[in-house]
Amino acid sequence: MRRPMLDRRSLLSLGVGAGASLALPRGLSADTGKTYKILMLTFRGETDVERGFRDLLDTAGLKTEIISRDARRDIANLPSMIADLATLKPDLIYTWGTPLTLGVAGPFDSTDPKFIRDIPVVFALVAAPVQARIAPSFAAPGRNVTGAVHVVPTDVQMKAMQSFMDFSTVGILYSTSEQNSDVIVREVKAFCDGMGAKVLARPFKNDASGRPTAEGVEDMVAQLRADKADWLYLLPDTFLGTIYDRVTPAALAAGLPTFGAAELAIREGGALVGLVSRYYSVGQLAGTKAVEILARGTPASKIPIETLKRFSLIINMRIAKSLGIYPPIAMLNYAELVTG
Amino acid sequence: MIGIGLRGGISAAIIVILCAALGMIAWGAQRAAVRTIVPTIVAKAESVGRSAAALVETAVEAGIPMEKLAGVPAYFEDLRSQNSELSEIRLTQGGTVLFQSGEREQPDWPQVRVPVAVEDGPSLGDIVIFIDPSIISEQVAAVLVDVAFIGVVALLIALELVALVVGARGVSVLAGVEARVRDLARGRLVRHEGADGDRLIAPIDRQLNALASRHAFARDEAERRGDARALATLDAVAAKTGLGSVHSVGNQAAAVVRPALFLFMLAEELTRPFLPRYVQSIAPASLPISPDVAISLPIVAFMAAVALCQLPFAALSERIGRRGGFMLGAGLAACGYVLSGLTGSYFVFLGARVLSAVGYALVFVSAQGHVVDRSAPSERAEGLAVFVRAIMVAALCGPPIGGVIGDRLGGNIAFLFSGGLAALALVLAGLSLPASQRRGGAHGLGLTDLKAAIQAPRLAALLFGCAFPAKFILAALCFYLIPVELQREGFSSAAVGRLQMIYPVIMVLGVPLFAALADRWSARAGFVAAGGTLAGAGALLVAFGTSPVILALVLALLGIGQAMSIAPQSALVADSARHVPGGHSAGVLGLFRLVERSGNAVGPAAAGFLLGSVGFVTSMMTVGGLVVFGAAAFILSGRVPARRDRGSPAAPEEASVP
Amino acid sequence: MTRTTAVLIALFAMIAAACVAFGAYFAYATLLNANRAAVEARFAITAQRIGATAELASGLGIALPAQQTLPDLLRREARIDTAIRAIDVADERGHVLFSSDPDRAGRDEPAHPADSVSRVMENDLEARIGRVIVHYDPVILAAGAEALAADLRFIAIPTLAAAALATIAVGLLLAASLRRSLRRAADPGSWPEPARAALASVDAAHAAVLKRDASPAGGRP
């Protein structure tokens, strides 16, 4: 069987919902003279996301005054960060991640007055805004919130995995306590059913308080390999993210290639390959939303929440060499090779 | 030889001679292509090889050992599928082949070798590519098909020129001579008029005139004597030999207007292939409309102006005379073309296109009026068929010529060229059309006419379910969506022009055929409905892809569908017209034209809007779906079965012109 | 009539010649386009390679103007193929950011520069970020054009002359035949058979009527 050859464009645009064109609207770069005040709320300092956001506003020719405040990785700091909103009067609030966004804007169906409903909020790096009840749907947020989602659709990830190396069985380790993981496991199963492949989804063991533990993960990985898994898919599971250092060495020892859903999994977590949204590009995407709100006056409620149109393939060559599993040569045309 | 005559004989000879000559040109083109284009294709293989080598180098630099490279055969296969002339690609190291895709059939096929080497390092191996010469020959053959197309166009134009010369007043002496010789050869002793005093003709005319006077004398004699039997014998002989009668010249109205009309239509058809790209180049970025709408707007404005001018110009051309109308229209259009070519402003260009459209409408109405005025009802269908032919041949020849002019000299020069053709048509019309007869009583259509017309049986369903959609889909697909899409895919204007030729070719061939069939089977309504359905369904094919082959198929189905429905459609309209009380049949025909042409105008506008908002495939499907829906509505309206009377034959009277 | 015939034959010969010339020129234009397409396909591969690299870098957050490794890449690629004059990377407004030819950086490129192949580059938002423009040496096109023109001229000129001469020859033959028929038509005795038969039937009918009357009038004119 010939492995499906996908070029970067077709691979990376698979399964992505069609959205409005993201090209900068014409005439937007005109100097409108007004300086817009943006309150930027970050969770762990400024990252590439914010760089992309700022770069896009600059490119669009918007004059902005950005007030940046950081939660220092603690959501409890949020109230103090937005205490002076009444005097600050920002034209737009930028938020990083689900906790900050939810903390600022609240669920869409909440009537709690502490949530902000009169200032447009543009988020970046929220994985599942609908599940988190930030907005009722991607296409029409219907409220003062819109933004950029960074997760890569599951089926697009599966296709990338297949392009790297075809498979008949894929192994997954996940936490039963995480609703999001549950959804993704189901999506993986749906995709694999379509291509006639098997999914071995094994939950982590829970401790007495019902929280997942890393106990015996090495054996679980070895068992997946023994059960003929061709890939270990590292889904975006919060708990899994904390134990990469135990999972990937076990996979490497078992000769099991790993496909990571999060960028960190490949760069630092020892996964072989992954398809990710570039943080910089996610920031740019959020930037286009801000430009549309500020310069064009489109209400946030009418601007769809979107994912990127293209994603990036990252291959860890150190892992590839250890496993002796190399990417198809055509992938080198569009993959980023790291040696972390 | 005598039967054909000098003019006919030389016309036939020129076709044979030109076929042979164009065959020679094609042979020369083939030779030239092999000598020049083939090495270029080989050079491309080298570029592919370098690209592959660069990728292998990237892999090696990333630490992948050469022999452990993954997916190399698949990558090579991909390169081969994109460049079909590459029969075999291999990666070799030393003497061994590491990876290979495809296999050459002959060991001596041309090959390209590109070394693989990391920067400043030693050679690691080679990419070797073998080229299949038979595929290159196929690619050359594809080019030659284009050349053959050009040959057909050249031949058609030569035939139009021949018709122009043969129909010219200057050679009427020859026509007289040939008529005399031909009549004698058939045993007809009729007298001929004209060409008095020509040295060669005079003796024949003397003989025939004398014979005629003797016959008259003999008849007088018989009459004087009251010899009924002798009279009968004389009359029988006269009827058999044509004695005493005067040779009548067939209806020349259509033949007279044909060359000028052909040139004029050619002027407009030239602009088709390059118009969208030209508009794109002059549309300023600051327009408050989307680029797609900006491109379609001049086309829409042109169609709309032509549609709107139909009714008022019918009366106008009658008032100022057909010749005057034609000349005025051609002049206006010529000015429009020149202005279109010279201006750099989008809005001036828009105005110039409208000016050309006004001229176009006036020329069309006048030329048609000329044929209708000067032909008896029984000759009308035939006359209009000649008229349609001129337009169709122009539609056939214009786009490829315009495409080449646009590609080689630029759109503005091509517009000036159109202006020149329109001016030439003006001069020709002035020389060939008979002096205008002004008519006082001509008046436009009143509202009552239209009201009466719309109440004619089943007419509304026909107009809005078939006539409007037919022109709508033609203008949307053939003149807008497909050219724009092909240009987006990177095809040249000339290639787009050749694809656009599919439609008129099928029309020229199909219209008479389907018209005859529809009449024979008394199935006009059926043909109209089936044609509409087919044309609409064709557009749905884009669901399977947008390759040029599929687009060609879409155009072919559109052509077949339209060819099926166009003549029966006008026959049905004519039928309806006869059922309108109070002699408002003119209103029905006028309404038909107006509705039809509105389809022309709305087509590109809707297409531009759709393309901008939902993309090419969905636009095509929407347009196709609407047309199928219209045909279905027409079928459903037909609870009254199609009339079986044959009052007006389904002749290709209605010119399918935008 | 002689003059008319001569003019007619001349006109037809001209039409034949013009039609051959037209066919040859358009065949030339068609071949030229095919040649250009084949030439440009080669440079499109180069443009594609460079464009993909720049897109990758831009996805990593390195804005196009900041991709300082590009000039090296452009120079390397331009060196490989001697037919390449220069390779530019321009931003979305056509401003040349980098070029294999340092003098070209900073220029503004038109949307469709002559003798070049472009490839649009997009970022992860599918917005245009710029173009790669490969300028090739028009000499390779000109050389092809010249060869094509020479080859076609070699065939077309004799063909054109032959077509015109053949038309004239056929015209003269037809004219001679017409003249012969005319001359014969002047004398009823040499009329074609159907005409003579018709004449005989007419003569017979006339004779029947006129003889009965025994009138001196009539007879053969």
Side-chain angles (χ1 to χ4, degrees):
Chain A
M1 194 190 90
R2 207 185 136 212
R3 191 175 296 145
M5 294 284 295
L6 292 168
D7 60 25
R8 173 175 153 90
R9 182 174 301 241
S10 59
L11 172 69
L12 306 183
S13 60
L14 286 169
V16 181
S21 167
L22 285 164
L24 278 179
R26 275 197 279 180
L28 208 68
S29 46
D31 189 356
T32 50
K34 183 173 173 192
T35 301
Y36 298 100
K37 199 184 273 183
I38 297 175
L39 177 60
M40 178 179 270
L41 304 178
T42 54
F43 193 70
R44 51 174 203 198
E46 288 206 16
T47 61
D48 261 3
V49 187
E50 287 69 37
R51 201 162 62 81
F53 183 79
R54 287 173 183 268
D55 278 0
L56 192 116
L57 296 183
D58 284 348
T59 314
L62 236 62
K63 274 197 205 136
T64 52
E65 181 198 343
I66 297 180
I67 301 132
S68 182
R69 289 174 182 173
D70 188 37
R72 295 186 304 280
R73 300 189 184 227
D74 188 354
I75 189 70
N77 290 327
L78 177 62
S80 65
M81 290 160 72
I82 53 172
D84 59 344
L85 269 192
T87 51
L88 198 61
K89 291 207 187 87
D91 296 295
L92 186 135
I93 301 175
Y94 164 91
T95 56
W96 189 99
T98 307
L100 277 180
T101 309
L102 213 48
V104 170
F108 67 88
D109 46 2
S110 159
T111 49
D112 193 328
K114 75 173 178 185
F115 296 127
I116 293 158
R117 306 206 161 262
D118 51 353
I119 302 170
V121 175
V122 171
F123 63 74
L125 239 68
V126 170
V130 174
Q131 278 165 357
R133 310 195 66 73
I134 292 170
S137 81
F138 271 56
R143 58 171 302 193
N144 62 325
V145 181
T146 186
V149 169
H150 66 286
V151 294
V152 180
T154 306
D155 58 336
V156 180
Q157 295 194 50
M158 291 294 117
K159 279 176 193 156
M161 194 154 109
Q162 198 184 8
S163 298
F164 192 106
M165 193 185 75
D166 210 357
F167 59 87
S168 54
T169 308
V170 63
I172 300 178
L173 299 175
Y174 71 107
S175 318
T176 45
S177 56
E178 290 186 35
Q179 191 202 358
N180 190 39
S181 301
D182 211 47
V183 172
I184 291 171
V185 168
R186 261 184 279 138
E187 284 172 353
V188 172
K189 278 185 174 153
F191 180 87
C192 290
D193 280 351
M195 60 173 278
K198 211 161 69 181
V199 179
L200 306 172
R202 310 269 158 87
F204 293 116
K205 295 191 176 78
N206 288 344
D207 63 12
S209 60
R211 287 216 295 245
T213 74
E215 193 195 323
V217 285
E218 288 83 359
D219 294 339
M220 290 167 77
V221 171
Q223 189 55 46
L224 282 173
R225 187 58 174 161
D227 293 343
K228 299 225 162 48
D230 300 303
W231 280 100
L232 172 59
Y233 175 52
L234 306 175
L235 44 67
D237 184 290
T238 313
F239 174 69
L240 177 61
T242 63
I243 56 163
Y244 285 148
D245 55 345
R246 291 187 61 181
V247 175
T248 54
L252 198 56
L256 182 61
T258 42
F259 188 101
E263 195 163 346
L264 216 59
I266 307 106
R267 288 196 188 281
E268 294 159 28
L272 170 62
V273 57
L275 188 68
V276 302
S277 292
R278 294 266 178 229
Y279 276 18
Y280 180 82
S281 302
V282 174
Q284 282 186 308
L285 181 56
T288 62
K289 309 282 173 195
V291 168
E292 208 163 320
I293 292 167
L294 296 176
R296 291 189 123 188
T298 313
S301 57
K302 289 193 177 147
I303 301 174
I305 297 167
E306 285 179 300
T307 62
L308 288 179
K309 306 270 186 196
R310 297 191 200 173
F311 310 102
S312 297
L313 192 74
I314 306 177
I315 301 171
N316 190 324
M317 288 307 291
R318 184 177 61 82
I319 306 295
K321 261 178 249 174
S322 309
L323 286 168
I325 298 173
Y326 294 106
I329 188 163
M331 254 187 189
L332 299 179
N333 269 329
Y334 50 83
E336 182 197 352
L337 307 180
V338 297
T339 48
Chain B
M1 281 275 218
I2 295 165
I4 307 176
L6 175 60
R7 296 174 310 155
I10 206 166
S11 304
I14 212 167
I15 295 173
V16 175
I17 290 168
L18 282 181
C19 281
L22 291 168
M24 282 296 288
I25 297 288
W27 178 72
Q30 193 260 343
R31 240 175 42 116
V34 167
R35 284 168 36 136
T36 305
I37 298 178
V38 169
T40 313
I41 297 177
V42 174
K44 191 182 90 180
E46 228 172 87
S47 213
V48 172
R50 273 201 292 275
S51 209
L55 191 57
V56 173
E57 285 157 16
T58 308
V60 171
E61 277 167 359
I64 308 177
M66 282 268 276
E67 66 281 0
K68 288 267 182 69
L69 289 173
V72 179
Y75 169 65
F76 285 173
E77 213 160 289
D78 213 43
L79 289 179
R80 284 179 48 236
S81 71
Q82 285 164 25
N83 305 277
S84 55
E85 71 275 9
L86 310 182
S87 66
E88 178 185 322
I89 308 180
R90 39 162 83 165
L91 174 59
T92 61
Q93 191 172 37
T96 50
V97 178
L98 292 181
F99 302 101
Q100 177 174 353
S101 160
E103 192 144 5
R104 66 189 189 280
E105 286 161 26
Q106 305 286 331
D108 58 341
W109 276 0
Q111 60 162 297
V112 167
R113 185 178 286 268
V114 182
V116 179
V118 288
E119 208 157 348
D120 304 326
S123 167
L124 300 170
D126 288 297
I127 296 280
V128 187
I129 298 177
F130 292 91
I131 298 158
D132 182 348
S134 70
I135 303 286
I136 295 198
S137 307
E138 273 173 35
Q139 289 173 352
V140 169
V143 173
L144 293 178
V145 169
D146 285 353
V147 172
F149 237 145
I150 289 298
V152 172
V153 168
L155 201 59
L156 283 171
I157 290 187
L159 288 180
E160 285 305 313
L161 291 176
V162 164
L164 166 65
V165 170
V166 165
R169 239 181 283 179
V171 295
S172 62
V173 176
L174 221 45
V177 170
E178 285 174 15
R180 285 165 174 86
V181 171
R182 194 179 307 124
D183 278 344
L184 278 183
R186 286 195 202 132
R188 303 281 295 168
L189 303 177
V190 296
R191 281 158 65 204
H192 289 261
E193 284 177 337
D196 297 321
D198 189 280
R199 197 169 51 80
L200 285 162
I201 297 180
I204 312 176
D205 284 357
R206 263 202 308 279
Q207 295 282 353
L208 291 172
N209 286 340
L211 206 56
S213 0
R214 194 178 74 188
H215 184 74
F217 178 76
R219 215 177 168 285
D220 284 349
E221 267 307 304
E223 214 159 41
R224 188 176 54 77
R225 286 205 308 259
D227 185 346
R229 239 187 69 211
L231 262 181
T233 316
L234 282 175
D235 284 351
V237 125
K240 207 178 118 219
T241 62
L243 193 61
S245 61
V246 175
H247 178 88
S248 70
V249 181
N251 179 29
Q252 297 293 309
V256 161
V257 77
R258 174 175 155 187
L261 185 68
F262 168 72
L263 286 180
F264 183 80
M265 291 295 166
L266 193 63
E268 177 55 30
E269 297 294 338
L270 281 186
T271 67
R272 292 218 189 289
F274 65 83
L275 190 63
R277 187 178 293 178
Y278 187 75
V279 179
Q280 203 173 10
S281 73
I282 64 165
S286 56
L287 282 182
I289 46 180
S290 85
D292 284 323
V293 175
I295 294 174
S296 69
L297 194 58
I299 303 175
V300 175
F302 185 92
M303 305 281 187
V306 171
L308 290 177
C309 291
Q310 285 297 314
L311 289 179
F313 280 9
L316 176 70
S317 104
E318 233 172 277
R319 210 163 37 236
I320 61 177
R322 305 304 188 188
R323 177 164 170 254
F326 194 115
M327 290 172 69
L328 178 63
L332 285 177
C335 293
Y337 292 128
V338 171
L339 193 57
S340 305
L342 294 182
T343 183
S345 147
Y346 180 78
F347 291 101
V348 175
F349 178 81
L350 207 58
R353 287 303 291 157
V354 171
L355 187 63
S356 291
V358 170
Y360 182 97
L362 192 51
V363 166
F364 183 85
V365 168
S366 301
Q368 183 175 257
H370 165 82
V371 175
V372 172
D373 288 353
R374 291 175 180 269
S375 53
S378 60
E379 301 167 325
R380 202 161 286 164
E382 207 188 323
L384 284 173
V386 172
F387 175 85
V388 171
R389 206 189 106 90
I391 294 167
M392 279 296 160
V393 171
L396 215 52
C397 300
I401 300 175
V404 169
I405 299 175
D407 274 352
R408 308 266 298 140
L409 304 173
N412 43 357
I413 303 289
F415 265 117
L416 296 183
F417 210 83
S418 286
L421 280 179
L424 201 60
L426 185 154
V427 172
L428 212 56
L431 291 176
S432 60
L433 292 187
S436 306
Q437 301 162 312
R438 284 157 199 274
R439 289 195 200 172
H443 58 85
L445 283 164
L447 265 181
T448 30
D449 295 302
L450 297 182
K451 214 173 123 198
I454 201 69
Q455 286 161 353
R458 218 184 160 184
L459 189 66
L462 180 64
L463 290 183
F464 297 105
C466 298
F468 178 85
K471 289 287 182 282
F472 175 79
I473 190 173
L474 173 66
L477 261 64
C478 194
F479 303 142
Y480 187 79
L481 284 174
I482 289 182
V484 168
E485 170 68 13
L486 285 172
Q487 281 181 6
R488 207 159 278 182
E489 287 178 20
F491 289 90
S492 69
S493 302
V496 175
R498 279 190 294 275
L499 208 64
Q500 280 177 304
M501 277 173 72
I502 292 173
Y503 173 80
V505 165
I506 291 179
M507 288 294 281
V508 164
L509 299 175
V511 167
L513 175 74
F514 287 121
L517 286 181
D519 269 359
R520 183 176 313 161
W521 297 339
S522 302
R524 285 181 194 149
F527 269 65
V528 169
T533 311
L534 198 63
L540 305 181
L541 282 181
V542 292
F544 301 104
T546 59
S547 70
V549 178
I550 289 186
L551 295 184
L553 207 60
V554 170
L555 287 177
L557 285 177
L558 177 66
I560 295 173
Q562 302 270 45
M564 279 177 79
S565 67
I566 195 156
Q569 223 178 69
S570 26
L572 282 179
V573 171
D575 280 356
S576 294
R578 287 188 301 111
H579 290 93
V580 177
H584 291 304
S585 60
V588 176
L589 290 166
L591 187 68
F592 176 57
R593 280 292 155 90
L594 179 67
V595 169
E596 207 184 28
R597 271 151 207 283
S598 316
N600 266 334
V602 176
F609 173 75
L610 281 171
L611 192 64
S613 40
V614 296
F616 176 70
V617 171
T618 317
S619 304
M620 292 282 285
M621 307 272 284
T622 311
V623 171
L626 281 176
V627 173
V628 171
F629 177 77
F634 173 70
I635 296 170
L636 290 179
S637 78
R639 279 173 304 171
V640 185
R643 275 165 227 288
R644 284 204 156 238
D645 67 33
R646 300 186 172 205
S648 46
E653 288 193 21
E654 292 303 324
S656 156
V657 265
Chain C
M1 193 198 95
T2 315
R3 225 184 100 234
T4 313
T5 311
V7 168
L8 188 72
I9 292 174
L11 274 175
F12 274 63
M14 270 157 61
I15 291 175
C19 170
V20 173
F22 171 92
Y25 178 75
F26 277 77
Y28 166 70
T30 307
L31 291 183
L32 213 55
N33 271 339
N35 191 47
R36 176 184 288 269
V39 166
E40 293 191 342
R42 170 171 142 205
F43 300 116
I45 295 169
T46 306
Q48 165 67 26
R49 206 157 54 216
I50 298 168
T53 308
E55 282 180 349
L56 190 61
S58 103
L60 293 169
I62 310 170
L64 200 56
Q67 296 186 15
Q68 293 302 337
T69 52
L70 271 177
D72 262 351
L73 175 68
L74 299 182
R75 266 196 295 278
R76 210 164 48 237
E77 290 280 0
R79 259 204 316 268
I80 295 177
D81 195 333
T82 51
I84 294 178
R85 277 186 151 180
I87 308 175
D88 299 339
V89 167
D91 66 14
E92 77 272 34
R93 291 183 185 82
H95 186 72
V96 176
L97 300 170
F98 307 107
S99 174
S100 60
D101 171 2
D103 292 344
R104 299 182 58 83
R107 290 189 191 190
D108 285 317
E109 274 293 298
H112 302 284
D115 304 316
S116 74
V117 177
S118 314
R119 180 194 180 278
V120 170
M121 293 177 289
E122 296 178 343
N123 63 10
D124 287 349
L125 282 58
E126 283 193 352
R128 278 178 69 140
I129 53 172
R131 279 183 298 154
V132 180
I133 308 158
V134 178
H135 299 270
Y136 53 83
D137 194 340
V139 164
I140 58 166
L141 276 189
E146 213 149 281
L148 288 172
D151 279 356
L152 276 171
R153 255 201 309 271
F154 179 75
I155 294 292
I157 292 175
T159 307
L160 188 144
L165 287 177
T167 309
I168 291 173
V170 171
L172 289 177
L173 272 176
L174 286 167
S177 132
L178 182 67
R179 194 172 285 266
R180 209 165 39 244
S181 336
L182 269 182
R183 214 169 289 129
R184 284 218 306 267
D187 171 19
S190 57
W191 275 3
E193 184 47 40
R196 268 185 295 158
L199 182 61
S201 67
V202 171
D203 278 348
H206 287 182
V209 173
L210 298 176
K211 208 175 279 167
R212 206 172 300 166
D213 193 41
S215 161
R220 271 214 175 160

